[in-house]
Amino acid sequence: MDEKTVTKNGARLTALDGLRGLAAVVVLLHHSFYTNPEFPGAPGGGHAPVGSPMWWISYTPLKLATAGVESVIVFFVLSGLVVTLPVVRRRGFDWVAYFPRRVVRLMVPVVASVLLAAAWVAAIPQVSTQADGTWLSDSSTPNFSWEYIVKAVDLLGGDGQINNPLWSLRWELAFSLLLPVFAIAALAVRRWWIGGLALACALTWLGARAGSAELEYLPAFFVGAVIAVRLDVVRNAADRINRRWFRHPLWALLTVGSALLLIAPWLVGPEVGQIPELDPVLKGVVPIAAAGLVVAVLGWTPLRALFESRPLQFLGAISFSLYLVHVPIIIFSTYLFAGQAWYVPLLFAIPLAVLVAVGFRWLIEKRSHGWSKAVGAWASDRYRTWFGREDGEENGRRQSAPASEERVAG
């Protein structure tokens, strides 16, 4: 999809950049609160007495502000949508250009973030004062060596010890390499989309129940791919709803319902873990909840205007960079202000993470866009040269990286 097509047919997708920006901030807050071992859901336990501030933050709708794992599922659904959309919108999609372009687009920022993370890790000794098993202890690297850099760069088989948000980039890369399979599957269920979404929920439930990360996370990309093939139908339905008197109550119901369904395991309370089948079932519907938020942001005019506002668009622009750089900064700040109350380092870490993300986007991410396009064009040219394809035959197939694909966060 070229820039003109994106501008003409995809302008309303701009709001999804704002949604991605908000999700990135939620992930930032999620990891910030993880530095407090008493935060419910944090590794190592975390217990909040009923009625305490931590209880209110964790087991009421306020959890939306720190629902980091759920926000990553929103990222996955958004990636499934925006990466699949050019495939189903343009005949003769240039697969030869796509694969190297996509790998460069993801891996250049990943490698840069790993090197930056290594600098933060090496800047101050990371000997945790918290008990073993807490998030800070597990995420610290007291015996740093160059092997950690190699393992972090290896998304498919490595170890993101020095920058743990890279776990989600493993699934971004896997989805990107499997895009033909996802696109074909989404097209296959175009008319039976309800069944396709139900299958995605069932696989997510099975993954959560069996402890299979592949089944738990990859179906979210498929949900986004289904939205991509049904996007015109979604927009037409939204236009019809927006001409009716009940449009605002209906959209509000979808938005609030999807948001609450996204954090449903938390609203059940800490007892959810005592009901073996309930937690996987509730996790199984999280991709559908994320899809509901995506549809609401696209369809509800006031909500779309909110996510197209300058503050949220700014956050959307730096969302991928913020996601990649924030955790090493939080850990560094925690050791820099060792001995202070748990929230004091965050007063330094959060603004610093935003500033570094702005610089990272300008220095690394924006340049990776250009490099990925150049690599894709080079691969396409080599293919035509090696296989003797005529320029005219290929002109209809070649395209630059679509603007929507370039705004993908982890």
Side-chain angles (χ1 to χ4, degrees):
M1 184 186 302
D2 58 28
E3 297 292 337
K4 183 176 181 181
T5 304
V6 172
T7 301
K8 181 179 179 180
N9 295 330
R12 290 169 63 177
L13 294 181
T14 304
L16 298 185
D17 293 330
L19 177 59
R20 186 180 295 108
L22 181 60
V25 171
V26 171
V27 173
L28 171 65
L29 294 176
H30 166 81
H31 285 127
S32 296
F33 274 77
Y34 263 12
T35 59
N36 183 346
E38 297 303 316
F39 182 57
H47 173 72
V50 176
S52 67
M54 282 295 180
W55 182 90
W56 280 100
I57 291 172
S58 301
Y59 299 117
T60 72
L62 294 176
K63 179 61 185 177
L64 287 166
T66 59
V69 176
E70 294 79 7
S71 293
V72 171
I73 302 301
V74 174
F75 287 150
F76 290 168
V77 172
L78 289 173
S79 292
L81 167 57
V82 299
V83 178
T84 305
L85 192 59
V87 179
V88 299
R89 279 288 176 90
R90 177 180 283 274
R91 296 183 62 184
F93 182 78
D94 192 347
W95 290 104
V96 176
Y98 162 76
F99 285 106
R101 183 181 68 219
R102 184 70 178 150
V103 170
V104 170
R105 172 68 184 90
L106 288 175
M107 290 306 300
V108 168
V110 164
V111 172
S113 74
V114 169
L115 295 176
L116 184 60
W120 292 115
V121 170
I124 191 169
Q126 295 193 346
V127 181
S128 178
T129 57
Q130 294 185 6
D132 292 342
T134 62
W135 181 79
L136 182 62
S137 292
D138 289 348
S139 301
S140 299
T141 312
N143 300 309
F144 173 71
S145 66
W146 64 269
E147 287 93 343
Y148 285 102
I149 297 176
V150 176
K151 290 188 289 186
V153 170
D154 180 10
L155 290 183
L156 295 180
D159 176 2
Q161 172 66 32
I162 62 174
N163 194 8
N164 63 34
L166 294 181
W167 72 265
S168 69
L169 270 296
R170 170 177 300 180
W171 305 116
E172 289 277 358
L173 181 59
F175 161 69
S176 298
L177 297 177
L178 294 171
L179 179 60
V181 176
F182 280 83
I184 292 171
L187 288 169
V189 301
R190 188 168 194 161
R191 294 185 178 181
W192 303 280
W193 59 275
I194 294 179
L197 297 180
L199 177 61
C201 288
L203 291 175
T204 304
W205 162 78
L206 183 61
R209 188 174 186 272
S212 170
E214 292 85 352
L215 289 179
E216 185 172 357
Y217 298 122
L218 287 177
F221 294 98
F222 177 69
V223 170
V226 171
I227 298 176
V229 301
R230 300 282 300 179
L231 187 58
D232 289 337
V233 176
V234 170
R235 284 173 162 171
N236 291 336
D239 289 339
R240 289 195 297 271
I241 292 173
N242 287 333
R243 291 193 292 268
R244 308 301 293 270
W245 65 268
F246 53 78
R247 60 190 180 280
H248 294 310
L250 183 61
W251 285 120
L253 180 63
L254 176 63
T255 304
V256 174
S258 297
L260 295 180
L261 192 61
L262 192 73
I263 58 169
W266 294 98
L267 298 181
V268 174
E271 294 79 14
V272 68
Q274 302 172 12
I275 310 175
E277 289 299 328
L278 182 58
D279 189 51
V281 168
L282 294 178
K283 288 181 177 178
V285 298
V286 167
I288 297 300
L293 290 176
V294 169
V295 171
V297 169
L298 290 174
W300 191 11
T301 304
L303 190 63
R304 188 169 70 243
L306 173 64
F307 281 95
E308 289 177 344
S309 64
R310 287 188 176 182
L312 286 176
Q313 286 295 299
F314 164 75
L315 292 174
I318 67 169
S319 59
F320 190 26
S321 296
L322 182 61
Y323 185 82
L324 288 176
V325 306
H326 74 279
V327 164
I329 293 174
I330 290 173
I331 296 174
F332 166 82
S333 301
T334 301
Y335 287 111
L336 183 65
F337 292 91
Q340 302 291 324
W342 71 272
Y343 55 85
V344 171
L346 304 179
L347 300 177
F348 174 78
I350 292 176
L352 179 60
V354 173
L355 289 175
V356 172
V358 171
F360 191 91
R361 176 177 180 266
W362 174 80
L363 185 61
I364 303 297
E365 190 183 349
K366 291 182 70 173
R367 283 159 176 75
S368 74
H369 295 174
W371 297 337
S372 66
K373 291 179 182 179
V375 169
W378 176 87
S380 189
D381 289 341
R382 295 290 75 75
Y383 174 78
R384 296 197 339 267
T385 300
W386 293 339
F387 290 91
R389 307 296 293 271
E390 296 294 332
D391 288 345
E393 183 180 349
E394 289 294 312
N395 280 342
R397 297 184 58 201
R398 295 183 62 193
Q399 69 252 358
S400 62
S404 56
E405 179 187 328
E406 292 181 352
R407 303 188 187 108
V408 176

